[in-house]
Amino acid sequence: MINLSIKERMLLEDEKSHEQLCVDKYNEYSNKAYCPELKNLFSQLAQKEQQHLDSINQLLNGIVPNINQQQGSQQGGQQNSFNQQSINQQFINQSPINLGSNTYNEHDKMLCNDSLSTEKFISATYNTAIFEFRDKNVRQVLNHIQKEEQEHGEKIYNYMASHGMYQVQ
């Protein structure tokens, strides 16, 4: 059982509200996205954010979650990912923008931009929180969540880049 300071509890409450926002946002965006691949990505991210929310709730209850168990359950979800090439050829977007072989919907691009910005923000808040906790095990849990938030941002970026939504110059 961990004993949280007032500051640590406040930081966890902030992270809890951020994670709840991400769960709600990704579930909503999964329903709003036009591209089936993007719908699936948002759905997967909502599930991961729910795991983060559950971990934060455990910490608030004085329990350090076992992050090794969570890692084992993640590997199964990665095997369910869609073949990006075949899905790109199957879906039809409303008002698509065609960039050669990359076709995307402006609405989907807006959802991705917002999601990527959210992941950048959430990762930064975890970075700050990690330095404020006394308990090494709690810091490891927060670091694990932060790493996964960065991976979420990478998945969104990769989707955007592969669909012509994000051009690095």
Side-chain angles (χ1 to χ4, degrees):
M1 192 75 148
I2 53 174
N3 185 20
L4 298 170
S5 71
I6 293 171
K7 186 172 189 176
E8 290 169 334
R9 184 165 290 285
M10 287 176 32
L11 287 165
L12 287 175
E13 289 291 345
D14 281 347
E15 297 302 346
K16 178 180 176 178
S17 68
H18 298 154
E19 293 297 348
Q20 185 62 60
L21 175 66
C22 286
V23 169
D24 295 343
K25 184 181 280 194
Y26 284 132
N27 281 324
E28 179 181 343
Y29 285 7
S30 179
N31 291 328
K32 288 184 174 183
Y34 290 104
C35 172
E37 180 186 0
L38 186 57
K39 285 180 177 288
N40 182 57
L41 175 60
F42 285 147
S43 179
Q44 289 176 6
L45 293 176
Q47 291 171 10
K48 293 299 301 168
E49 298 294 357
Q50 183 62 54
Q51 289 177 0
H52 296 169
L53 180 58
D54 294 345
S55 293
I56 297 299
N57 281 325
Q58 286 180 328
L59 289 171
L60 284 166
N61 289 323
I63 301 164
V64 178
N66 185 346
I67 54 178
N68 293 328
Q69 284 179 332
Q70 290 178 0
Q71 288 173 336
S73 66
Q74 291 170 13
Q75 292 170 351
Q78 292 173 348
Q79 294 171 350
N80 294 332
S81 64
F82 287 99
N83 178 331
Q84 194 170 336
Q85 292 289 354
S86 65
I87 289 199
N88 286 345
Q89 295 169 0
Q90 291 175 9
F91 77 91
I92 299 173
N93 281 333
Q94 297 175 355
S95 21
I97 293 177
N98 193 342
L99 297 171
S101 63
N102 294 319
T103 302
Y104 67 87
N105 176 281
E106 276 296 322
H107 182 259
D108 283 357
K109 181 179 179 181
M110 185 276 304
L111 297 177
C112 289
N113 278 326
D114 182 60
S115 299
L116 188 56
S117 294
T118 299
E119 291 296 347
K120 290 175 184 179
F121 171 76
I122 301 286
S123 180
T125 64
Y126 276 106
N127 190 59
T128 300
I130 289 165
F131 287 101
E132 297 293 334
F133 280 82
R134 299 169 291 174
D135 187 296
K136 180 179 181 174
N137 294 320
V138 175
R139 286 194 310 271
Q140 287 176 339
V141 170
L142 297 177
N143 187 269
H144 173 78
I145 293 173
Q146 181 192 33
K147 184 176 186 289
E148 288 188 349
E149 297 293 355
Q150 292 169 353
E151 290 168 359
H152 297 175
E154 180 182 20
K155 287 178 182 183
I156 295 165
Y157 167 82
N158 288 341
Y159 173 87
M160 293 176 76
S162 70
H163 289 79
M165 295 177 182
Y166 200 115
Q167 292 169 16
V168 180
Q169 298 178 0

